[in-house]
Amino acid sequence: MNHILNVRTNTLHKPRTDTSQQKTECGALMHVPQDHVEEVSEADFETAAAVSRCGRCFENGGGY
């Protein structure tokens, strides 16, 4: 499963599953420029220690 990464804040988000304009479940990236957003695979972010998880997208997250 791919996730959405805000490369400026190093915060990981779950992708939205419907056809909404929002890219993430929480909607936190609605006003973030496209060049600050990257789609990453689980293998990419599980090895990155500096990445935090969005608290609205993940139960064990702490960001936002």
Side-chain angles (χ1 to χ4, degrees), residues 5-59:
L5 177 67
N6 181 336
V7 297
R8 293 284 250 185
T9 63
N10 285 326
T11 305
L12 193 67
H13 299 268
K14 284 186 180 178
R16 187 100 180 172
T17 56
D18 61 16
T19 58
S20 170
Q21 294 290 348
Q22 298 178 11
K23 294 178 190 228
T24 63
E25 285 292 323
C26 67
L29 301 181
M30 186 178 230
H31 300 290
V32 175
Q34 183 61 36
D35 60 334
H36 296 175
V37 178
E38 186 177 303
E39 192 169 317
V40 295
S41 70
E42 283 188 64
D44 291 339
F45 68 82
E46 284 181 353
T47 59
V51 173
S52 62
R53 294 173 185 251
C54 171
R56 289 187 254 169
C57 291
F58 298 95
E59 288 182 18

